[in-house]
Amino acid sequence: MVGLTSAAGLVGLLVEPVPQLRTYALRKLIEEVDILWPEVADTVGTIEALYEDETFPERELAALVVAKIYYHLQEYNESMVFALAGRKFFDLDRGGEFEDTIISKCVDTYIALSAMRHSSAPETSTQHLPPQLTTAFPQNVDGGASTSASLTSPITPFTQSTLPSKSLLSRETTSNTFDSTFKATENGGPVGGQPSASAAQRSMQKNLQAVIEQLFQRCFHDGRYRQVAGIAIEARNLEVLKRVILRANQDDEREKDREDGNGATGRGEELMEYILDICMSVVQERGLRNEILKLILELLTEIPNPDYFAIAKCVVYLNEHTLASQILRQLVETGEPRSLAVAYQVAFDLYDNGTQEYLAKVRDELPSATERSTAAENAQDPQAGEESAGNTTETDPLLSGQSGDSEGVNSSATANEKEKSASPAQSKVYEAISTILTGTKSIELNLEFLYRNNHTDINILNKLKDSLEARNSIFHNAVTFANAFMNAGTTSDIFFRNNLEWLGKAVNWSKFTATAALGVIHRGNLGQGQRLLEPYLPRDSVAAGSVYSQGGSLYALGLIYANHGIRVLDYLRDQFQKAEDETVQHGGALGLGVAGMATGSEEIYEDLKNRLYADSAVNGEAVGLAMGLVMLGTGNVKVLEDMIRYAHDTQHEKIVRGLAMGMALIMFGRQEAADELINGLLDDPDPTLRYGGIMTLAMAYCGTGSNKAVRRLLHFAVSDVSDDVRRVAVMSLGFILFRKPSNVPSMVDLLSESYNPHVRYGAAMALGISCAGTGLDDAIDLLEPMLRDPTDFVRQGALISLAMVLIEQTEVVYPQVGTFRKTLQKIIGDKHEDAMAKFGCALALGIIDAGGRNCTIGLQTQTGNLNMAGVVGMAVFTQYWYWFPLTHFLSLSFTPTSIIALDHDLEIPTFKFQTASRASWYDYPPEQATKTDEAPEKVATAVLSTTMQAKRRARQKEKQQRRESMDLDRTSSTPRTVYANLDDKMETDDHGAAEREGKKKNEKAEAKEGDKDGTSADSIKKKLEKEKVGFESENMSRVLPAQLKYINFLEGRYEPVKKATGGVILLIDNMSSEPKDLLELKAKKTVDRAAAPPTTQGDNGNAAGSSREVGTSNQATTGGAAEAVGVLTAVDEDEEGGEEAELPREFDYHSDEEME
C-alpha cells in the first residue's frame, strides 16, 4: 500500500468532536510521522491538548505522537517526557533510532535525579571535615582562601558561575551541574520540560523508574552486569549496586550447580574487579569512592568464599587496619595450606599498597610470636607504638572512614586473647606474616631477582665515561647517575672499582652525589647496607674524611632503607642531631626523609623543625623536603601552618622551595581536603609558593584524572607570569593522568609547540611521567621532533622522557628503541653538543637500562593502587632542575618486573610457567659491541706502465732461467730467493686490490653477522616467521608488563593462589609430602663477601689497587664500595680546614731572542 504524501487530512481529523475519528488520525500519524512530521509539527499544540484531556481514551497514543514530533525537532528532553507519558505504546525492544535515543535520555535523567536524591544522604562528608588552616592565608582575598575558590576560579567560563562538569563523577558539589534544562523541585524531580504539574511529575518519575527497571532486567537476563553497575555508580545509587553484585553471585552459584562446580572465574568476581577498577580510576570524588568501597567490603565479608585480595585492596585505601588484621587472623586460624598461602599473599599485597604507619598498626594488632620480638620492635620504632595507641590529635587520618577508638580497643583485646591461645605453629605463621608486613621478605626477594638477572652493559658506561670530561662536574654527575640507575638494586658496584682514577676527580658536591649513588646501587640490601657504608659515615673518635662523603653516606643510607627505615631511623636521627657541618646536615635530612617516609613521626619532625629555624640555605631545602616526606599524606594542619609561616618569614629561596615541595607531599592523595591549601598557595605573590601550589595540586589529585585539576593546571600553564610555574603546571598533567596515558598526547600536543621553551619542556616531561613504560606511539611521535629542539634543556627533557616511555620495550615490538639507542650514542660522542643535552642523554641511558634492565617505572602497584614511593620519587626527581643530588630519588620509582613464586613455607621452589607468545618479544637487548681502534687505511700503490713492462720482462727472464737450469745441480738456493722477492713485490704492488677484496669480504661477513644477530629488518621478519609461539620461563625470571596477559601456569605440583599480576605469587603445593627442589639464594652470599670491612681509610686505599684485577663483582672478595673509600673520603684541596695544595714550582721563561 502506498504511504501518505500529505498529512493535511489527518490533521483536520484531530479537531473533530468524535473521539473515534481523532483516534483514527493518531493511529495513522504514528505510522507516518517519521515522514510527515514537518507538516504535523505546526499542530503539535493540538495533539498535546488531546494528551492533557483526561476524558480522551487514547491520550497515551497522543503523547507518543508528540514525543516523535519533538524527537525530530531535536527537543530530546520534551520527547522523553512525552514518550514516558505514552509508556503503554512505547516499545523498548523495538530497535530504532527513536527508541535508542529515548532510552539514552531516560538513563541520563535517571542518573541526574538519583544523584540529586542520594547526594545529601551520606553524613560522613560533614562529620569528617578536614581541619581548616586558620593562620595560613588571609581570608576572602579575591576568593583565594575560601573553600569555594575552586568553584569561582579564573578558569571559570564567563557565562557560568560554577565550573562546568562534563561527568557527574567529577562534579564539585551536589548542586545542579549536569543539565541546565532540569531544575530541582521539592520532591526531587525535574521541571520545565513536562506539560503538567506535580501529579504528572510523579507519574513521569514512576514511568521512568519502570523503563529503567525493564532495562536492568534485560541486562540481568543477558549477563551484562557491568552496564547496570556503571549506571548505579554514576547515579550514586548504592542500593542498585548492591543488588547487581548479589544478582551476579547468585547467577554464578546456579551455573556452578549445573556444571558440578567445574567453572572458571565467575562473573561475580569479574564484576567485583570491574567495580574496583572503576572506583579507583574513574570515580573522582573521594566521598563516593569511600562509600562504594565500604559497600564492597560489606558484601565481600558476607560471601561464603570471599575474594580476600579484593578485600585487601579496599582496606588499604580505607585505612581499615583492624579489618586487615582480622582477615589475617581468620586465615591463619583455619590452618589449611591454601588458607596460609592466601594469608601470605594478602600480607604481600598489604605491604605493596600500605604506608609504614598503616603496616605498623596491622602488625601491632596481630598476635606476635614472642613477647621479646614485640619488645624489640617497640624499641626500634617507639613512635609506632604511640601512634597505634590512638595518639592522632595532630594528624588527620589519611582517609575518612577510619575505625573508631572502641573498635581499636576491642581488636587489641581480641588480639591479646588470640596471642594467649596461639599454638606454636600459628606463632610461626604470625612471625612470618610480620616479616612480610615489615617489608623485609619482599625487599630480600627483589634484591635476589635483580642480582640474578643483572644484564647491565658495562661497555655503555665505559663509553659514556670516556666521552664526557670528568673534570666538568655536570658530566661527572651525569656518569654517576647513569651508573646508579643501571645498577639500581643489583649491588654491582664494579664500575666504581674499575674506575677509581675517574672517581677521584669528584670534588665537593660531586663527591656527595657519588657517595649517595652507593645507596641506589645497594638499595634493599638491608642486611649489609649500614656495614657497606660504615667507612663513609661520620665518626666521633677517628678523624673523618670529606664532609661531602659523610653527608652523601647518610643520604645513601636512607636510600638503602627507603620506605623501610625501622632499623636505621634512630641512627640517622642521632647523626643528624650531632652534625655541625651544613653539608652533613643536608645529607642527614634527606636520609631521614627517605627512610622515615610516611611514618608521621612527631619526634623526627621536631628535630627537622629545629634545624629549619637555623635559617641555613644549604640544609634548609633538604629539611623542608624531609618534613614533607616524614608527614607524607597525613594532612597535618599544625605542620602545614608552621611551614607556611616560615616560608613567608625566610629570605632564602632554596628554603622556600623545599618547604613548598614538603607541603605538596603532606597533601599526597588528599584530594578535596587539599583545596584550601592549594587556593592559598596559588594566590600567593611569591612564584616559588605558586610553584608549590601546583605541586600540591598534582600530589593531592595524583592518578585521579580529575577534570577540575586538569582545567586548573592548563589555566596556569598559559597564564602565569613565571616560567617555573608554567613549566611545572604542564608537567603536573602527567601526575594527574598517568592512569589514562592515551589521553595525554592529545592534551599536550599544542603545548609541545609553544613559543615558550619551559612549556615545551613541561610537555615533554608530562609525556614521560604519564606514559612511562607504555611505549605509546603517540607519545613517541610527539617526543621525537623535540630531540631537535633549538633549546638545550628541551632536548634534555625529551631524551629523559623518551627513555621513560621506552623503558623495558624491545626492539622487535618497538623499532624506535634501536633508533633511540643509536641517537643516544651519537649525542654522547658529539663534541659540539650542549652540556645540558649530554646530561639528559646520560640520564636517559641509565633510565632505559634501569636495574640491570629488569625494572620499569611504576607509579601504581600491580593491584592498581597508587605506588606511594614511586610517585614521591618521581615528583622529587623533577626537582633535579634546581639541585642535582635529588636525581637519585627516581630510583624509588623503579619497580622490578618479575614473577617470584613462593610455597607455603615462603621458600623459592624450582618452578616453571609458560608464556603464550614469542620469546623474542621479551628478550633482553643485545650488549653493545666494543670496537677496537682501527688502523688508517693504506692507499693503493700507483703502478706505472714502465713498471708493468719491467715486471713482464723479469717474469720472462725467470722462465727462461728455469728452463736452462733443469739439467743443472739444484744445490743453489738462488731461484727460491728470487721467487720470494718477486712474491713480496707482487703483494706490495697489488696491495690496493687486495684491500678492496678484503673490504668486500668484510662487508659480506658483517652482513652475515647482522643476519645472525637479527639486527637487520629482513632477518627480524624471517626470525619471527620461523619462531615458535610459546616458551617456558624459570622462577625468578623477568616478566614484562605486556607479557603478563600471556602467562599460563602449567598443571603440576604447584598451583598459584591468584592469577599472574607480577611480583610475589604464593603457590599451593599439591605434593607436599614429596621432597622439593629449591633455588639457592646467591645475593646474600656475594653481598656478605663484598661488604666493606671496618678497616681504616688508609688500608682501604692501599687495597684498592691490588683488588682491581679481580674478575667480576660476583666473584670479588672486596666490593667497589670498599675500594672507593680512599678516593671518596679524601679531603678536597679547596675544602675548608683541609690541606692546602702545593705551590707551583718556579720555572724559567726564555724569549725568542734568547732562544736564538
Side-chain angles (χ1 to χ4, degrees):
M1 180 178 177
V2 181
L4 296 176
T5 58
S6 175
L10 296 176
V11 170
L13 292 177
L14 292 175
V15 296
E16 292 291 331
V18 181
Q20 290 79 1
L21 294 178
R22 288 180 287 182
T23 301
Y24 172 79
L26 290 174
R27 294 186 182 279
K28 287 296 182 180
L29 282 176
I30 198 68
E31 298 174 0
E32 306 292 341
V33 69
D34 294 333
I35 300 174
L36 303 177
W37 67 267
E39 291 185 66
V40 185
D42 293 336
T43 60
V44 67
T46 304
I47 305 176
E48 284 187 27
L50 293 178
Y51 164 70
E52 294 176 357
D53 186 3
E54 296 182 359
T55 60
F56 184 61
E58 299 292 341
R59 56 193 303 265
E60 294 184 355
L61 181 61
L64 186 60
V65 174
V66 174
K68 288 198 171 186
I69 294 174
Y70 278 126
Y71 164 75
H72 288 291
L73 292 173
Q74 297 185 2
E75 297 289 344
Y76 300 122
N77 290 329
E78 288 80 358
S79 178
M80 178 204 65
V81 171
F82 283 101
L84 291 175
R87 178 74 183 85
K88 178 181 176 181
F89 296 95
F90 180 58
D91 187 7
L92 293 179
D93 297 329
R94 180 184 177 186
E97 222 175 288
F98 168 72
E99 287 76 13
D100 293 342
T101 304
I102 297 303
I103 291 174
S104 176
K105 200 65 185 176
C106 287
V107 171
D108 292 341
T109 306
Y110 169 79
I111 291 173
L113 294 175
S114 179
M116 290 176 59
R117 191 178 302 113
H118 293 89
S119 59
S120 59
E123 300 177 357
T124 56
S125 58
T126 58
Q127 292 176 350
H128 297 280
L129 285 175
Q132 301 298 312
L133 295 172
T134 57
T135 62
F137 303 102
Q139 299 293 323
N140 299 326
V141 179
D142 295 331
S146 65
T147 55
S148 62
S150 57
L151 297 179
T152 56
S153 65
I155 59 171
T156 307
F158 294 112
T159 57
Q160 299 178 4
S161 59
T162 59
L163 290 175
S165 178
K166 296 181 180 179
S167 171
L168 292 176
L169 300 178
S170 64
R171 64 182 174 279
E172 289 276 349
T173 63
T174 59
S175 60
N176 177 30
T177 58
F178 42 89
D179 194 338
S180 59
T181 60
F182 288 88
K183 300 179 181 179
T185 60
E186 294 181 358
N187 55 8
V191 296
Q194 64 277 27
S196 61
S198 58
Q201 182 69 26
R202 287 191 293 271
S203 63
M204 191 275 290
Q205 292 186 26
K206 182 179 178 181
N207 291 336
L208 176 63
Q209 189 65 37
V211 170
I212 297 300
E213 182 62 27
Q214 187 175 348
L215 286 176
F216 287 169
Q217 292 299 330
R218 186 193 300 176
C219 291
F220 291 153
H221 181 269
D222 298 339
R224 294 179 295 171
Y225 306 105
R226 294 187 176 187
Q227 284 84 340
V228 181
I231 293 174
I233 292 175
E234 196 156 358
R236 305 173 66 100
N237 195 332
L238 300 185
E239 295 177 0
V240 174
L241 185 62
K242 180 177 180 179
R243 174 184 167 195
V244 67
I245 294 174
L246 294 176
R247 177 64 181 268
N249 290 326
Q250 292 172 2
D251 293 347
D252 278 346
E253 292 178 0
R254 295 194 195 99
E255 291 183 3
K256 287 180 181 179
D257 293 340
R258 296 193 199 111
E259 299 174 2
D260 297 330
N262 298 327
T265 303
R267 282 183 279 187
E269 296 181 9
E270 294 179 355
L271 177 64
M272 195 69 72
E273 293 179 2
Y274 171 76
I275 294 174
L276 281 173
D277 181 60
I278 289 295
C279 190
M280 294 296 182
S281 59
V282 177
V283 178
Q284 299 175 5
E285 193 174 340
R286 191 176 64 174
L288 176 60
R289 185 185 298 125
N290 290 348
E291 294 171 17
I292 296 174
L293 290 177
K294 289 177 182 178
L295 173 64
I296 294 175
L297 270 180
E298 178 186 347
L299 294 176
L300 286 174
T301 52
E302 294 176 358
I303 297 175
N305 297 317
D307 184 359
Y308 289 104
F309 309 122
I311 294 176
K313 191 174 181 180
C314 295
V315 295
V316 171
Y317 187 88
L318 294 173
N319 209 20
E320 292 283 353
H321 52 86
T322 302
L323 183 56
S325 61
Q326 290 175 356
I327 293 171
L328 292 173
R329 286 199 302 270
Q330 178 183 349
L331 290 170
V332 173
E333 289 171 5
T334 306
E336 299 177 357
R338 178 180 291 273
S339 298
L340 295 181
V342 172
Y344 289 145
Q345 187 70 64
V346 169
F348 277 111
D349 291 348
L350 290 175
Y351 171 74
D352 289 339
N353 300 317
T355 64
Q356 290 193 67
E357 183 181 11
Y358 175 81
L359 296 173
K361 292 178 180 179
V362 176
R363 290 198 308 271
D364 291 340
E365 294 176 357
L366 286 176
S368 58
T370 59
E371 295 181 1
R372 182 180 57 188
S373 62
T374 305
E377 288 182 6
N378 291 337
Q380 291 176 353
D381 191 16
Q383 65 270 16
E386 296 176 6
E387 289 166 0
S388 62
N391 184 16
T392 56
T393 56
E394 300 287 351
T395 305
D396 183 47
L398 181 62
L399 290 174
S400 61
Q402 210 171 10
S403 299
D405 295 335
S406 58
E407 293 181 4
V409 174
N410 295 334
S411 63
S412 61
T414 305
N416 293 332
E417 294 176 1
K418 299 288 184 181
E419 185 176 355
K420 293 179 182 178
S421 60
S423 64
Q426 291 180 352
S427 298
K428 184 179 179 181
V429 173
Y430 285 129
E431 185 177 0
I433 291 177
S434 180
T435 304
I436 296 173
L437 292 176
T438 56
T440 305
K441 193 65 179 179
S442 295
I443 295 173
E444 177 186 336
L445 294 172
N446 287 331
L447 185 72
E448 176 70 20
F449 162 72
L450 293 175
Y451 178 83
R452 280 175 171 268
N453 300 276
N454 185 11
H455 283 73
T456 300
D457 191 352
I458 197 68
N459 297 323
I460 297 177
L461 282 173
N462 290 332
K463 183 175 181 180
L464 184 64
K465 173 184 68 71
D466 296 337
S467 302
L468 302 180
E469 177 57 45
R471 291 291 181 185
N472 193 336
S473 63
I474 185 175
F475 290 153
H476 198 285
N477 285 331
V479 179
T480 300
F481 292 135
N483 173 45
F485 290 163
M486 286 186 186
N487 295 289
T490 63
T491 71
S492 174
D493 46 21
I494 183 176
F495 181 76
F496 280 165
R497 188 179 69 242
N498 294 341
N499 297 279
L500 294 179
E501 182 180 354
W502 167 85
L503 193 61
K505 297 178 182 180
V507 294
N508 299 336
W509 288 104
S510 295
K511 187 171 292 186
F512 178 94
T513 303
T515 309
L518 295 173
V520 178
I521 294 172
H522 291 276
R523 185 191 171 199
N525 189 1
L526 305 180
Q528 301 295 333
Q530 193 166 354
R531 184 181 168 196
L532 282 164
L533 295 174
E534 187 174 351
Y536 302 90
L537 293 169
R539 282 173 286 182
D540 298 331
S541 58
V542 184
S546 172
V547 293
Y548 294 99
S549 65
Q550 295 176 34
S553 64
L554 293 176
Y555 183 17
L557 189 62
L559 290 170
I560 290 176
Y561 293 89
N563 199 24
H564 186 77
I566 294 178
R567 300 185 183 182
V568 296
L569 276 179
D570 291 338
Y571 174 80
L572 286 171
R573 282 186 61 196
D574 182 59
Q575 293 297 329
F576 179 69
Q577 291 171 353
K578 291 180 180 179
E580 297 180 357
D581 189 88
E582 293 178 339
T583 307
V584 182
Q585 295 171 6
H586 183 94
L590 291 177
L592 263 179
V594 179
M597 186 185 301
T599 57
S601 172
E602 294 288 343
E603 292 82 0
I604 298 178
Y605 167 72
E606 289 297 330
D607 293 341
L608 293 169
K609 186 174 69 172
N610 294 334
R611 288 291 186 185
L612 178 68
Y613 288 162
D615 203 40
S616 171
V618 175
N619 59 29
E621 182 175 15
V623 169
L625 182 61
M627 292 165 69
L629 289 170
V630 172
M631 293 293 175
L632 179 65
T634 60
N636 193 312
V637 174
K638 178 180 178 298
V639 174
L640 289 172
E641 291 177 352
D642 292 342
M643 297 173 74
I644 294 169
R645 189 182 305 110
Y646 194 77
H648 285 138
D649 293 341
T650 184
Q651 300 297 320
H652 295 290
E653 183 181 348
K654 291 174 68 68
I655 296 179
V656 177
R657 185 179 299 116
L659 291 172
M661 275 301 300
M663 288 185 282
L665 296 176
I666 290 175
M667 284 300 182
F668 175 80
R670 304 293 297 178
Q671 297 188 25
E672 294 88 354
D675 283 349
E676 184 181 7
L677 176 63
I678 293 171
N679 296 329
L681 291 175
L682 292 180
D683 286 340
D684 199 280
D686 187 352
T688 307
L689 286 179
R690 293 204 304 276
Y691 184 102
I694 295 294
M695 287 304 301
T696 305
L697 182 64
M699 292 294 98
Y701 290 91
C702 181
T704 62
S706 171
N707 296 332
K708 175 189 69 174
V710 169
R711 286 196 295 268
R712 197 147 200 199
L713 289 175
L714 291 174
H715 166 71
F716 277 91
V718 298
S719 65
D720 200 277
V721 295
S722 172
D723 285 334
D724 288 346
V725 177
R726 299 180 69 176
R727 181 182 67 249
V728 75
V730 182
M731 184 168 58
S732 297
L733 291 171
F735 289 105
I736 304 295
L737 299 169
F738 71 81
R739 278 179 168 153
K740 303 174 183 177
S742 58
N743 295 346
V744 180
S746 59
M747 187 171 296
V748 302
D749 190 3
L750 294 178
L751 295 173
S752 64
E753 300 175 359
S754 171
Y755 72 93
N756 190 326
H758 292 267
V759 175
R760 298 200 300 271
Y761 172 88
M765 292 300 294
L767 290 169
I769 293 169
S770 60
C771 305
T774 62
L776 194 64
D777 291 330
D778 293 339
I780 297 173
D781 293 341
L782 282 180
L783 288 170
E784 283 183 342
M786 301 178 77
L787 297 177
R788 300 180 292 274
D789 196 275
T791 307
D792 52 0
F793 62 80
V794 177
R795 296 197 300 274
Q796 178 191 88
L799 289 166
I800 295 173
S801 298
L802 258 180
M804 291 181 181
V805 174
L806 295 176
I807 186 172
E808 281 206 328
Q809 303 298 332
T810 59
E811 190 174 352
V812 176
V813 182
Y814 294 94
Q816 302 96 324
V817 176
T819 306
F820 180 59
R821 289 184 180 272
K822 293 178 182 177
T823 303
L824 294 176
Q825 298 296 334
K826 181 180 178 182
I827 293 174
I828 286 297
D830 188 359
K831 296 181 180 180
H832 304 289
E833 186 61 74
D834 293 321
M836 296 186 70
K838 285 189 174 182
F839 179 81
C841 185
L843 291 185
L845 284 170
I847 292 170
I848 200 170
D849 290 338
R853 296 176 171 174
N854 294 296
C855 288
T856 187
I857 294 178
L859 300 186
Q860 56 182 341
T861 62
Q862 301 284 357
T863 55
N865 286 31
L866 283 179
N867 181 7
M868 181 191 67
V871 174
V872 170
M874 179 65 73
V876 181
F877 161 73
T878 59
Q879 305 307 303
Y880 82 90
W881 180 278
Y882 303 102
W883 190 231
F884 280 162
L886 298 180
T887 308
H888 285 311
F889 270 82
L890 184 62
S891 62
L892 302 182
S893 301
F894 293 158
T895 304
T897 52
S898 63
I899 282 186
I900 304 174
L902 304 178
D903 60 10
H904 61 274
D905 295 325
L906 297 184
E907 295 177 330
I908 309 173
T910 302
F911 172 73
K912 290 185 178 181
F913 55 90
Q914 190 175 25
T915 302
S917 183
R918 304 180 189 274
S920 60
W921 289 5
Y922 314 109
D923 281 344
Y924 289 97
E927 291 191 2
Q928 185 179 2
T930 56
K931 293 185 178 179
T932 57
D933 295 335
E934 298 179 356
E937 296 182 1
K938 294 183 179 181
V939 182
T941 306
V943 181
L944 301 177
S945 58
T946 54
T947 306
M948 297 294 293
Q949 292 177 0
K951 287 181 180 181
R952 199 178 300 113
R953 286 195 296 268
R955 286 195 295 269
Q956 291 176 357
K957 185 178 179 180
E958 199 61 37
K959 289 179 182 178
Q960 186 177 1
Q961 288 179 354
R962 281 201 301 266
R963 285 195 299 267
E964 292 175 353
S965 63
M966 290 293 291
D967 299 332
L968 300 178
D969 186 14
R970 298 189 180 185
T971 56
S972 174
S973 61
T974 305
R976 295 180 185 177
T977 307
V978 174
Y979 289 147
N981 292 338
L982 285 175
D983 289 343
D984 292 342
K985 289 180 181 179
M986 290 174 67
E987 287 178 4
T988 304
D989 291 340
D990 296 341
H991 184 72
E995 283 217 351
R996 286 193 293 269
E997 292 179 1
K999 285 183 180 180
K1000 292 180 181 178
K1001 291 180 181 178
N1002 291 336
E1003 290 176 359
K1004 292 180 181 179
E1006 289 177 359
K1008 290 181 180 179
E1009 289 178 0
D1011 292 339
K1012 290 180 182 178
D1013 297 338
T1015 54
S1016 62
D1018 295 336
S1019 62
I1020 290 176
K1021 290 181 180 178
K1022 292 178 181 178
K1023 270 192 172 184
L1024 289 176
E1025 292 174 358
K1026 296 179 181 179
E1027 187 178 7
K1028 294 182 180 179
V1029 177
F1031 63 96
E1032 291 186 355
S1033 302
E1034 298 285 345
N1035 194 2
M1036 273 206 168
S1037 297
R1038 184 181 81 152
V1039 176
L1040 301 185
Q1043 185 181 350
L1044 288 172
K1045 57 185 175 182
Y1046 301 109
I1047 294 294
N1048 295 319
F1049 293 101
L1050 303 176
E1051 294 184 2
R1053 175 170 182 172
Y1054 295 105
E1055 175 190 352
V1057 298
K1058 69 172 186 177
K1059 65 179 183 180
T1061 56
V1064 180
I1065 296 181
L1066 268 294
L1067 302 176
I1068 300 171
D1069 191 354
N1070 297 323
M1071 305 175 185
S1072 57
S1073 59
E1074 298 182 4
K1076 53 187 177 182
D1077 189 10
L1078 302 177
L1079 293 179
E1080 182 183 4
L1081 296 179
K1082 298 180 179 179
K1084 265 189 174 181
K1085 295 183 178 180
T1086 307
V1087 169
D1088 291 344
R1089 292 198 304 266
T1095 57
T1096 60
Q1097 296 176 14
D1099 294 339
N1100 284 318
N1102 296 332
S1106 61
S1107 62
R1108 204 179 310 173
E1109 298 176 358
V1110 182
T1112 62
S1113 63
N1114 299 347
Q1115 302 170 349
T1117 57
T1118 305
E1123 295 197 12
V1125 172
V1127 176
L1128 291 178
T1129 59
V1131 179
D1132 299 330
E1133 293 179 356
D1134 58 345
E1135 195 170 315
E1136 186 177 350
E1139 299 178 1
E1140 295 183 358
E1142 297 181 0
L1143 294 175
R1145 62 180 178 81
E1146 296 182 359
F1147 61 93
D1148 298 329
Y1149 173 75
H1150 301 282
S1151 63
D1152 295 340
E1153 296 178 357
E1154 292 176 348
M1155 292 294 291
E1156 293 176 357

